[in-house]
Amino acid sequence: MVECDKVVKRDAFLKAIEVDDAPSAAEGLDLDSMAVDASYDGMRLEKEMTLEFIEDMIQRFKDGKKIHRKYVFQIIITVMDIVKKEPTMVEVTVEPDHEITVCGDTHGQFFDLMNIFKLAGKPSPKNSFLFNGDFVDRGSWSTEIALTLYAYKWLYPTSFFLNRGNHETDDMNRMYGFEGECRAKYNERVFKLFSESFSALPLATLIGDKYFVLHGGLFSDDKVTLDDVRKLNRFKQRQPGQSGLMMEMLWTDPQPAPGRGPSKRGVGLQFGPDVTKRFCETNGLEAIIRSHEVRMEGYEVEHDGRCITVFSAPHYCDSTGNKGAFIKIGPDYKLNFTKFEAVEHPDIKPMAYASNGMQGLI
């Protein structure tokens, strides 16, 4: 309680002094003059991302190595520019001979992410991916996951997609490890750049006008439509706050009972099958796909088939015993689920970089 109280007070102070038009963390960063030591044994990154660089980077991460800080800055800044140009709700179709794989929370479980690419196939222009938020925190390879996903986003900007989750936010990152991990492996500026890039990520993806994919769930008002999401200016505020559409998209959860109820999380709300039915019918959708919660089988179909939860961090925090899952969607727009078990990883505990006193709290 004492540690939590310290974090709450610190966050309140930081919010009080936060300036919405603060300069970018990239300001004054001269990448062209930043030298890479001759002793650096990794592949060099030039002006464009390559598959060879990604594969070399992934192998370094598997070996417990880092990439040069210059390349970290380069990847984050480039991807931030890419996602800033995307709409708040990205709209995609699945072309013939193509597939899109929808993944839920990965939470810093890098070696399980590698298993996803083994099972689902590596990203390519025809093998698209959508990661539905919560890439970071909890697990102790969050920088590795974020850099891997960002590198693929740079390489395949029109076929690799990222939705923001509630853990792509400053208050979560301060408490659950990502900020500390950035500092430990790189520096404070890397975290600030990631934070800035997280606030630019889209909040939802519409697949084939049939599936509305967002991290949390639906809204407190039945009048909210997909057009309201399209019009939502996600750049007005960097953090989701305690109310509003952005907060609800990142934080809400389904409930079995009709209507709406208070959230067990203390922020957001819970929505019932009738709420989901009305939203889908109003917007011509088959279902919503969301993440945000552990499911023991990796996924769950609820609300008469209209609400699907997918969670892609198996044996969450090395303690839960759940399976992970992902969803493949082809040009016929049928949902094909794959469940998978956790794989072995080096002996580094979850929350290894969390705020002092928070280690071990799941």
Side-chain angles (χ1 to χ4, degrees):
M1 283 295 294
V2 170
E3 291 300 329
C4 285
D5 190 50
K6 286 180 185 175
V7 172
V8 168
K9 287 178 178 175
R10 183 180 66 175
D11 280 357
F13 172 73
L14 290 168
K15 283 184 173 67
I17 63 172
E18 186 179 75
V19 180
D20 284 342
D21 58 354
S24 168
E27 197 169 290
L29 195 59
D30 186 359
L31 293 178
D32 290 335
S33 64
M34 192 177 292
V36 178
D37 299 338
S39 61
Y40 180 70
D41 61 350
M43 184 170 283
R44 264 52 177 175
L45 177 61
E46 302 300 334
K47 296 296 185 182
E48 297 295 331
M49 180 57 66
T50 66
L51 186 57
E52 291 75 21
F53 180 87
I54 294 176
E55 290 176 345
D56 181 76
M57 178 180 71
I58 285 172
Q59 189 58 54
R60 292 181 69 79
F61 292 161
K62 289 178 179 178
D63 294 339
K65 296 180 179 181
K66 298 178 289 186
I67 60 171
H68 195 278
R69 194 182 302 162
K70 174 179 180 175
Y71 303 149
V72 175
F73 290 145
Q74 209 173 333
I75 290 167
I76 302 171
I77 290 168
T78 302
V79 171
M80 181 157 47
D81 289 341
I82 291 170
V83 298
K84 276 181 178 176
K85 296 181 177 107
E86 293 184 321
T88 296
M89 183 176 73
V90 175
E91 302 185 42
V92 302
T93 56
V94 185
E95 302 297 330
D97 300 321
H98 289 59
E99 285 184 318
I100 185 167
T101 301
V102 181
C103 299
D105 305 32
T106 48
H107 273 306
Q109 296 184 197
F110 174 74
F111 293 88
D112 293 307
L113 173 65
M114 294 299 99
N115 192 35
I116 290 172
F117 290 150
K118 181 180 177 182
L119 297 171
K122 292 180 181 179
S124 73
K126 287 190 172 185
N127 193 32
S128 298
F129 278 81
L130 166 58
F131 283 85
N132 194 28
D134 283 15
F135 328 125
V136 301
D137 284 338
R138 310 276 195 187
S140 295
W141 290 271
S142 291
T143 56
E144 287 82 358
I145 281 198
L147 288 168
T148 300
L149 298 183
Y150 273 29
Y152 274 123
K153 179 64 181 174
W154 183 356
L155 184 63
Y156 303 125
T158 60
S159 61
F160 195 93
F161 306 101
L162 303 170
N163 283 346
R164 189 179 188 179
N166 68 301
H167 276 265
E168 280 71 54
T169 57
D170 286 356
D171 50 357
M172 294 290 103
N173 296 160
R174 289 186 185 115
M175 185 174 290
Y176 292 107
F178 185 59
E179 181 181 39
E181 185 180 333
C182 287
R183 284 175 170 169
K185 293 179 180 177
Y186 296 103
N187 63 16
E188 173 71 13
R189 194 171 202 166
V190 166
F191 172 69
K192 287 182 176 178
L193 280 169
F194 265 126
S195 168
E196 197 176 330
S197 72
F198 289 165
S199 69
L201 289 171
L203 302 179
T205 302
L206 182 64
I207 300 177
D209 293 325
K210 293 176 180 290
Y211 302 108
F212 180 52
V213 188
L214 73 172
H215 181 72
L218 296 180
F219 308 97
S220 55
D221 188 341
D222 278 341
K223 294 177 183 175
V224 175
T225 66
L226 292 182
D227 274 340
D228 294 310
V229 177
R230 287 186 181 98
K231 294 171 187 172
L232 177 62
N233 181 1
R234 69 187 188 278
F235 301 109
K236 280 183 70 175
Q237 57 186 79
R238 288 188 176 182
Q239 303 304 316
Q242 297 293 309
S243 61
L245 292 189
M246 184 191 294
M247 181 279 294
E248 291 177 356
M249 293 175 73
L250 299 184
W251 278 98
T252 61
D253 297 297
Q255 66 180 23
R260 294 177 174 88
S263 173
K264 55 187 179 292
R265 301 174 186 270
V267 61
L269 55 95
Q270 297 189 160
F271 57 95
D274 55 329
V275 175
T276 304
K277 182 174 185 285
R278 284 194 296 271
F279 183 83
C280 288
E281 289 178 348
T282 298
N283 292 282
L285 299 169
E286 288 194 15
I288 68 164
I289 299 174
R290 41 90 61 182
S291 302
H292 195 41
E293 291 180 291
V294 178
R295 291 294 188 260
M296 292 309 293
E297 291 301 308
Y299 74 94
E300 185 175 0
V301 180
E302 305 170 77
H303 293 185
D304 301 315
R306 291 186 178 269
C307 178
I308 295 116
T309 298
V310 60
F311 191 83
S312 303
H315 197 37
Y316 179 48
C317 293
D318 289 354
S319 64
T320 309
N322 62 293
K323 294 182 178 70
F326 56 80
I327 307 169
K328 273 196 174 288
I329 304 173
D332 60 357
Y333 293 103
K334 304 296 182 188
L335 303 182
N336 299 293
F337 298 90
T338 298
K339 298 188 288 186
F340 58 95
E341 302 280 355
V343 296
E344 289 188 9
H345 60 72
D347 189 19
I348 301 173
K349 303 301 181 193
M351 306 281 282
Y353 303 95
S355 299
N356 184 35
M358 296 300 293
Q359 288 94 338
L361 297 180
I362 304 304

